[in-house]
Amino acid sequence: MSNQIKVGIVGYGNLGRGTVEAIKQCPDMELVAIFTRRTPDSVSVNESNVQVLHISDAEKYKDEIDVMILCGGSATDLPDQGPYFARMFNTIDSYDTHAKIPEYFSVVDNAAKESGKTSIISVGWDPGLFSLNRLMAEAILPNGENYTFWGKGLSQGHSDAIRRVEGVVGGVQYTVPITEAVEKVKSGENPELTTAEKHQRICYVVAEEGYDKAKIEHDILTMPNYFADYHTEVNFITAEELKANHSQLPHGGFVIRGGKTGDNHKQIIEFSLNLESNPEFTSSVLVAYARAAYRLNKEGQAGAKTVYDVAPGYLSPKSAEELRRDLL
Amino acid sequence: MSNQIKVGIVGYGNLGRGTVEAIKQCPDMELVAIFTRRTPDSVSVNESNVQVLHISDAEKYKDEIDVMILCGGSATDLPDQGPYFARMFNTIDSYDTHAKIPEYFSVVDNAAKESGKTSIISVGWDPGLFSLNRLMAEAILPNGENYTFWGKGLSQGHSDAIRRVEGVVGGVQYTVPITEAVEKVKSGENPELTTAEKHQRICYVVAEEGYDKAKIEHDILTMPNYFADYHTEVNFITAEELKANHSQLPHGGFVIRGGKTGDNHKQIIEFSLNLESNPEFTSSVLVAYARAAYRLNKEGQAGAKTVYDVAPGYLSPKSAEELRRDLL
């Protein structure tokens, strides 16, 4: 199909791989190339017909790629790559350093406005779909409270923290919403809850042979920021169990707003995700917003955007008429 | 505040009353007047400072009202009122006759384009928020299925049907999702389910004294379209119980999409509502979209729109900067 949207991917980690998969489910899109900082030959892609190129070759594809999906991380990749690619392409990224979003938005906005491109930043599920639901629920029920719960899901940062503990050879951490807190929120009571009161942390740890497990457990439970303030549970397992039962990347969570209308009527809005693969789901959101970026740019809407600026109809391959007829 | 959005309401039933309440929660809005087809003096409004006017006076308020919220019904009110008011005002309505939406959209679109006004049609929760979630979930997970469940909630149409049965002096009907169907869908199995397989109908009926209850039950259970194809339960109660326990208008429901990504990973997206007052919640949605209609019109976006055409940021009284900083 000659009128497919031509997509490029920058970065080939979990998110990049998920993006390749997500594009395969979209008949209106075509993957042109994956760009990497590694030696392209060293990157093996499952798909036989996908070309892998060095990131320095991207600018040669200015006229051949409609949207570039940036699959790098927020800490070190996107602060440079976001504005760099916005100078040449419509872009999508999943920038998620909440505190620096205004600054990042402004840098990407300047770059995109100069090039006349459209860049949708901070796309995914949080920030992303959860942000959308926080906004809409608050706008609809001004008299109320928002609650965000994460999990049950594997937290990469906390898993890394466990693996840095002396005597630990492997491990993962799941963030799990605390049932009582969830029930309170769903009842419309609008309780005051800290992050620690909403979530517990369940760790599965492989200890070095002969190492004192009690010491490992103590070191984890008392680790500041990561575990000390939380209800944390440490379970020791074998390396085989770790591999067999904990090598997937499930995640999810929910945004709930409890509000009141009229004569004190309780109204509850909830949005929830239950994901067997966190990176594949995030990629699927990026790809739907890539469609939106392409269309917004066709309409001349240049600059940086967030999910708040994108009318939902732009995400669907269906026409406005079809959507009104079939889905409204 | 002189820069408040000036709102008018057409129709003062449950939805109109809910809209008065919802506007009170929005400091950026001001209710100018309620327009009714009844004799204005016969309409009593709780708020002392709200003026009630005859609907024929509405056109005199062309320059004093920014958005008119149409609170009439889809069967007979909106087909006339939608295009009539779109010729003079930005409008919001909750038109919900699914099969006729394309036709209604086109009539309102013509009227609004002629007047340069903006009309957002079919706003509420279904159509409305549920439609949004069906669209977004489908765009994100193309390989999957959407499921819409309604309830637990009081169905006005089915309650009316019960009350038309001989020997019945009062009654209500609740639509209730069938737990097994919900569980199947949430597990990601993507079963095939008819509306009847997803919902049961629970009736509370007050019988005329001395009337044969078995006959009433039979007449309800065998009523075509409404009950015959469903798992229906009939409970007889007293008039006092009906009044004490069944005079609220709760509702809710959920939209679930089960999809698969990559190597067969199950991904579940769910949006759910649990509402103590259906009309008050619907009104709250109408009022948030009234803000959007006003802003879209300021930007020159005339014509008919649906929730699919409205970027979520327009619903919030907060600025784009605040939203990015505080909610993203």
Side-chain angles (χ1 to χ4, degrees), chain A residues 48-79:
Chain A
S48 55
N49 57 346
V50 172
Q51 55 176 340
V52 181
L53 301 168
H54 193 262
I55 198 167
S56 59
D57 288 330
E59 59 183 317
K60 296 179 200 153
Y61 285 77
K62 268 162 83 165
D63 299 328
E64 282 159 66
I65 287 176
D66 295 316
V67 190
M68 199 68 108
I69 301 183
L70 311 182
C71 295
S74 300
T76 57
D77 302 329
L78 294 175

mmCIF file of all heavy atoms in Angstrom, chain A residues 48-79:
data_model
loop_
_atom_site.group_PDB
_atom_site.id
_atom_site.type_symbol
_atom_site.label_atom_id
_atom_site.label_comp_id
_atom_site.label_asym_id
_atom_site.label_seq_id
_atom_site.Cartn_x
_atom_site.Cartn_y
_atom_site.Cartn_z
ATOM 1 N N SER A 48 12.871 -10.837 9.147
ATOM 2 C CA SER A 48 13.948 -10.933 8.169
ATOM 3 C C SER A 48 14.045 -9.671 7.315
ATOM 4 O O SER A 48 15.120 -9.285 6.869
ATOM 5 C CB SER A 48 13.715 -12.146 7.268
ATOM 6 O OG SER A 48 12.423 -12.050 6.693
ATOM 7 N N ASN A 49 12.897 -8.999 7.098
ATOM 8 C CA ASN A 49 12.905 -7.895 6.128
ATOM 9 C C ASN A 49 13.035 -6.509 6.753
ATOM 10 O O ASN A 49 12.724 -5.509 6.133
ATOM 11 C CB ASN A 49 11.633 -7.953 5.275
ATOM 12 C CG ASN A 49 10.394 -7.911 6.146
ATOM 13 O OD1 ASN A 49 10.476 -8.106 7.367
ATOM 14 N ND2 ASN A 49 9.258 -7.626 5.548
ATOM 15 N N VAL A 50 13.484 -6.440 8.009
ATOM 16 C CA VAL A 50 13.630 -5.134 8.659
ATOM 17 C C VAL A 50 15.096 -4.718 8.608
ATOM 18 O O VAL A 50 15.978 -5.464 9.024
ATOM 19 C CB VAL A 50 13.161 -5.186 10.121
ATOM 20 C CG1 VAL A 50 13.509 -3.884 10.833
ATOM 21 C CG2 VAL A 50 11.667 -5.454 10.184
ATOM 22 N N GLN A 51 15.351 -3.514 8.094
ATOM 23 C CA GLN A 51 16.752 -3.090 8.060
ATOM 24 C C GLN A 51 17.130 -2.350 9.339
ATOM 25 O O GLN A 51 16.363 -1.577 9.894
ATOM 26 C CB GLN A 51 17.064 -2.252 6.814
ATOM 27 C CG GLN A 51 16.177 -1.036 6.599
ATOM 28 C CD GLN A 51 16.631 -0.210 5.399
ATOM 29 O OE1 GLN A 51 17.781 -0.320 4.962
ATOM 30 N NE2 GLN A 51 15.733 0.616 4.866
ATOM 31 N N VAL A 52 18.348 -2.651 9.802
ATOM 32 C CA VAL A 52 18.889 -2.001 10.996
ATOM 33 C C VAL A 52 20.024 -1.086 10.546
ATOM 34 O O VAL A 52 20.936 -1.521 9.836
ATOM 35 C CB VAL A 52 19.426 -3.048 11.995
ATOM 36 C CG1 VAL A 52 19.965 -2.355 13.247
ATOM 37 C CG2 VAL A 52 18.334 -4.047 12.367
ATOM 38 N N LEU A 53 19.953 0.183 10.937
ATOM 39 C CA LEU A 53 20.937 1.162 10.491
ATOM 40 C C LEU A 53 21.544 1.878 11.678
ATOM 41 O O LEU A 53 20.974 1.889 12.773
ATOM 42 C CB LEU A 53 20.257 2.194 9.574
ATOM 43 C CG LEU A 53 19.577 1.629 8.319
ATOM 44 C CD1 LEU A 53 18.711 2.696 7.659
ATOM 45 C CD2 LEU A 53 20.628 1.096 7.350
ATOM 46 N N HIS A 54 22.664 2.493 11.452
ATOM 47 C CA HIS A 54 23.250 3.273 12.542
ATOM 48 C C HIS A 54 22.480 4.585 12.705
ATOM 49 O O HIS A 54 22.027 5.175 11.723
ATOM 50 C CB HIS A 54 24.733 3.555 12.273
ATOM 51 C CG HIS A 54 25.431 4.075 13.504
ATOM 52 N ND1 HIS A 54 25.659 5.409 13.718
ATOM 53 C CD2 HIS A 54 25.870 3.410 14.606
ATOM 54 C CE1 HIS A 54 26.248 5.562 14.901
ATOM 55 N NE2 HIS A 54 26.384 4.358 15.462
ATOM 56 N N ILE A 55 22.382 5.018 13.946
ATOM 57 C CA ILE A 55 21.588 6.196 14.269
ATOM 58 C C ILE A 55 22.076 7.438 13.501
ATOM 59 O O ILE A 55 21.282 8.333 13.190
ATOM 60 C CB ILE A 55 21.613 6.409 15.812
ATOM 61 C CG1 ILE A 55 20.478 7.315 16.272
ATOM 62 C CG2 ILE A 55 22.970 6.872 16.292
ATOM 63 C CD1 ILE A 55 20.291 7.288 17.785
ATOM 64 N N SER A 56 23.343 7.441 13.152
ATOM 65 C CA SER A 56 23.879 8.604 12.428
ATOM 66 C C SER A 56 23.366 8.670 10.992
ATOM 67 O O SER A 56 23.509 9.687 10.316
ATOM 68 C CB SER A 56 25.412 8.569 12.434
ATOM 69 O OG SER A 56 25.855 7.366 11.822
ATOM 70 N N ASP A 57 22.769 7.575 10.515
ATOM 71 C CA ASP A 57 22.209 7.578 9.157
ATOM 72 C C ASP A 57 20.774 8.096 9.113
ATOM 73 O O ASP A 57 20.199 8.243 8.021
ATOM 74 C CB ASP A 57 22.214 6.149 8.581
ATOM 75 C CG ASP A 57 23.627 5.681 8.241
ATOM 76 O OD1 ASP A 57 24.458 6.561 7.907
ATOM 77 O OD2 ASP A 57 23.883 4.467 8.321
ATOM 78 N N ALA A 58 20.183 8.354 10.287
ATOM 79 C CA ALA A 58 18.762 8.704 10.316
ATOM 80 C C ALA A 58 18.441 9.912 9.451
ATOM 81 O O ALA A 58 17.433 9.931 8.729
ATOM 82 C CB ALA A 58 18.312 8.942 11.761
ATOM 83 N N GLU A 59 19.324 10.925 9.472
ATOM 84 C CA GLU A 59 18.956 12.152 8.757
ATOM 85 C C GLU A 59 18.798 11.945 7.248
ATOM 86 O O GLU A 59 18.090 12.688 6.587
ATOM 87 C CB GLU A 59 19.919 13.305 9.059
ATOM 88 C CG GLU A 59 21.359 13.053 8.717
ATOM 89 C CD GLU A 59 22.243 14.252 9.128
ATOM 90 O OE1 GLU A 59 21.840 15.407 8.890
ATOM 91 O OE2 GLU A 59 23.316 14.027 9.716
ATOM 92 N N LYS A 60 19.428 10.890 6.734
ATOM 93 C CA LYS A 60 19.255 10.596 5.301
ATOM 94 C C LYS A 60 17.835 10.142 4.986
ATOM 95 O O LYS A 60 17.433 10.076 3.830
ATOM 96 C CB LYS A 60 20.213 9.479 4.871
ATOM 97 C CG LYS A 60 21.678 9.849 4.996
ATOM 98 C CD LYS A 60 22.550 8.659 4.571
ATOM 99 C CE LYS A 60 23.970 8.809 5.131
ATOM 100 N NZ LYS A 60 24.630 7.510 5.319
ATOM 101 N N TYR A 61 17.086 9.778 6.038
ATOM 102 C CA TYR A 61 15.733 9.243 5.832
ATOM 103 C C TYR A 61 14.640 10.279 6.075
ATOM 104 O O TYR A 61 13.473 9.938 6.215
ATOM 105 C CB TYR A 61 15.532 8.007 6.704
ATOM 106 C CG TYR A 61 16.270 6.803 6.156
ATOM 107 C CD1 TYR A 61 17.639 6.665 6.322
ATOM 108 C CD2 TYR A 61 15.589 5.842 5.402
ATOM 109 C CE1 TYR A 61 18.326 5.598 5.787
ATOM 110 C CE2 TYR A 61 16.260 4.766 4.857
ATOM 111 C CZ TYR A 61 17.627 4.642 5.054
ATOM 112 O OH TYR A 61 18.295 3.576 4.509
ATOM 113 N N LYS A 62 15.062 11.545 6.133
ATOM 114 C CA LYS A 62 14.104 12.624 6.402
ATOM 115 C C LYS A 62 12.863 12.569 5.515
ATOM 116 O O LYS A 62 11.760 12.848 5.958
ATOM 117 C CB LYS A 62 14.784 13.990 6.205
ATOM 118 C CG LYS A 62 15.378 14.541 7.486
ATOM 119 C CD LYS A 62 16.396 15.626 7.232
ATOM 120 C CE LYS A 62 15.766 16.996 7.012
ATOM 121 N NZ LYS A 62 16.825 18.065 7.137
ATOM 122 N N ASP A 63 13.066 12.225 4.258
ATOM 123 C CA ASP A 63 11.923 12.243 3.344
ATOM 124 C C ASP A 63 11.260 10.880 3.212
ATOM 125 O O ASP A 63 10.277 10.728 2.495
ATOM 126 C CB ASP A 63 12.369 12.723 1.957
ATOM 127 C CG ASP A 63 12.919 14.135 2.022
ATOM 128 O OD1 ASP A 63 12.430 14.916 2.872
ATOM 129 O OD2 ASP A 63 13.847 14.452 1.256
ATOM 130 N N GLU A 64 11.822 9.882 3.877
ATOM 131 C CA GLU A 64 11.276 8.535 3.705
ATOM 132 C C GLU A 64 10.570 7.999 4.933
ATOM 133 O O GLU A 64 10.024 6.900 4.903
ATOM 134 C CB GLU A 64 12.397 7.567 3.305
ATOM 135 C CG GLU A 64 12.747 7.714 1.832
ATOM 136 C CD GLU A 64 14.127 7.179 1.523
ATOM 137 O OE1 GLU A 64 14.301 5.960 1.651
ATOM 138 O OE2 GLU A 64 15.017 7.983 1.169
ATOM 139 N N ILE A 65 10.634 8.760 6.031
ATOM 140 C CA ILE A 65 9.988 8.315 7.266
ATOM 141 C C ILE A 65 9.008 9.390 7.736
ATOM 142 O O ILE A 65 9.372 10.559 7.860
ATOM 143 C CB ILE A 65 11.054 7.999 8.342
ATOM 144 C CG1 ILE A 65 11.765 6.698 7.973
ATOM 145 C CG2 ILE A 65 10.428 7.899 9.736
ATOM 146 C CD1 ILE A 65 12.898 6.317 8.890
ATOM 147 N N ASP A 66 7.763 8.992 7.957
ATOM 148 C CA ASP A 66 6.730 9.952 8.387
ATOM 149 C C ASP A 66 6.780 10.206 9.884
ATOM 150 O O ASP A 66 6.534 11.321 10.339
ATOM 151 C CB ASP A 66 5.336 9.416 8.032
ATOM 152 C CG ASP A 66 5.118 9.302 6.534
ATOM 153 O OD1 ASP A 66 5.489 10.248 5.818
ATOM 154 O OD2 ASP A 66 4.585 8.264 6.089
ATOM 155 N N VAL A 67 7.038 9.158 10.647
ATOM 156 C CA VAL A 67 7.077 9.315 12.110
ATOM 157 C C VAL A 67 8.210 8.457 12.666
ATOM 158 O O VAL A 67 8.369 7.291 12.289
ATOM 159 C CB VAL A 67 5.773 8.829 12.791
ATOM 160 C CG1 VAL A 67 5.770 9.231 14.275
ATOM 161 C CG2 VAL A 67 4.537 9.383 12.107
ATOM 162 N N MET A 68 8.977 9.054 13.572
ATOM 163 C CA MET A 68 10.060 8.319 14.224
ATOM 164 C C MET A 68 9.610 8.035 15.663
ATOM 165 O O MET A 68 9.264 8.958 16.399
ATOM 166 C CB MET A 68 11.319 9.189 14.201
ATOM 167 C CG MET A 68 12.581 8.435 14.414
ATOM 168 S SD MET A 68 12.987 7.325 13.020
ATOM 169 C CE MET A 68 14.374 8.190 12.270
ATOM 170 N N ILE A 69 9.612 6.751 16.041
ATOM 171 C CA ILE A 69 9.226 6.388 17.409
ATOM 172 C C ILE A 69 10.502 6.198 18.221
ATOM 173 O O ILE A 69 11.313 5.319 17.924
ATOM 174 C CB ILE A 69 8.350 5.116 17.416
ATOM 175 C CG1 ILE A 69 7.088 5.364 16.563
ATOM 176 C CG2 ILE A 69 7.970 4.737 18.848
ATOM 177 C CD1 ILE A 69 6.100 4.214 16.528
ATOM 178 N N LEU A 70 10.663 7.066 19.227
ATOM 179 C CA LEU A 70 11.891 7.056 20.026
ATOM 180 C C LEU A 70 11.710 6.112 21.208
ATOM 181 O O LEU A 70 10.900 6.350 22.089
ATOM 182 C CB LEU A 70 12.201 8.468 20.527
ATOM 183 C CG LEU A 70 12.159 9.582 19.456
ATOM 184 C CD1 LEU A 70 12.541 10.929 20.080
ATOM 185 C CD2 LEU A 70 13.063 9.254 18.278
ATOM 186 N N CYS A 71 12.466 5.029 21.193
ATOM 187 C CA CYS A 71 12.282 3.979 22.198
ATOM 188 C C CYS A 71 13.376 3.980 23.251
ATOM 189 O O CYS A 71 13.576 2.987 23.948
ATOM 190 C CB CYS A 71 12.189 2.619 21.507
ATOM 191 S SG CYS A 71 10.728 2.500 20.462
ATOM 192 N N GLY A 72 14.111 5.083 23.387
ATOM 193 C CA GLY A 72 15.151 5.183 24.398
ATOM 194 C C GLY A 72 14.578 5.523 25.763
ATOM 195 O O GLY A 72 13.376 5.758 25.906
ATOM 196 N N GLY A 73 15.475 5.583 26.753
ATOM 197 C CA GLY A 73 15.055 5.860 28.121
ATOM 198 C C GLY A 73 15.061 7.351 28.427
ATOM 199 O O GLY A 73 15.698 8.149 27.734
ATOM 200 N N SER A 74 14.359 7.704 29.523
ATOM 201 C CA SER A 74 14.201 9.115 29.871
ATOM 202 C C SER A 74 15.446 9.701 30.527
ATOM 203 O O SER A 74 15.662 10.912 30.497
ATOM 204 C CB SER A 74 13.027 9.279 30.835
ATOM 205 O OG SER A 74 11.859 8.813 30.222
ATOM 206 N N ALA A 75 16.249 8.859 31.177
ATOM 207 C CA ALA A 75 17.357 9.387 31.958
ATOM 208 C C ALA A 75 18.428 9.990 31.067
ATOM 209 O O ALA A 75 18.810 11.141 31.242
ATOM 210 C CB ALA A 75 17.951 8.286 32.826
ATOM 211 N N THR A 76 18.874 9.234 30.066
ATOM 212 C CA THR A 76 20.006 9.740 29.283
ATOM 213 C C THR A 76 19.717 9.835 27.779
ATOM 214 O O THR A 76 20.279 10.689 27.104
ATOM 215 C CB THR A 76 21.244 8.830 29.480
ATOM 216 O OG1 THR A 76 20.882 7.495 29.118
ATOM 217 C CG2 THR A 76 21.695 8.844 30.937
ATOM 218 N N ASP A 77 18.829 8.985 27.241
ATOM 219 C CA ASP A 77 18.615 8.989 25.782
ATOM 220 C C ASP A 77 17.745 10.163 25.320
ATOM 221 O O ASP A 77 18.131 10.952 24.466
ATOM 222 C CB ASP A 77 17.934 7.682 25.337
ATOM 223 C CG ASP A 77 18.744 6.448 25.710
ATOM 224 O OD1 ASP A 77 19.976 6.553 25.753
ATOM 225 O OD2 ASP A 77 18.121 5.400 25.960
ATOM 226 N N LEU A 78 16.532 10.253 25.870
ATOM 227 C CA LEU A 78 15.554 11.190 25.314
ATOM 228 C C LEU A 78 15.922 12.667 25.464
ATOM 229 O O LEU A 78 15.610 13.453 24.553
ATOM 230 C CB LEU A 78 14.156 10.911 25.900
ATOM 231 C CG LEU A 78 13.571 9.549 25.477
ATOM 232 C CD1 LEU A 78 12.245 9.288 26.186
ATOM 233 C CD2 LEU A 78 13.364 9.486 23.962
ATOM 234 N N PRO A 79 16.557 13.079 26.570
ATOM 235 C CA PRO A 79 16.902 14.507 26.655
ATOM 236 C C PRO A 79 17.684 14.994 25.434
ATOM 237 O O PRO A 79 17.511 16.128 25.000
ATOM 238 C CB PRO A 79 17.729 14.591 27.940
ATOM 239 C CG PRO A 79 17.184 13.475 28.784
ATOM 240 C CD PRO A 79 16.882 12.363 27.810
#
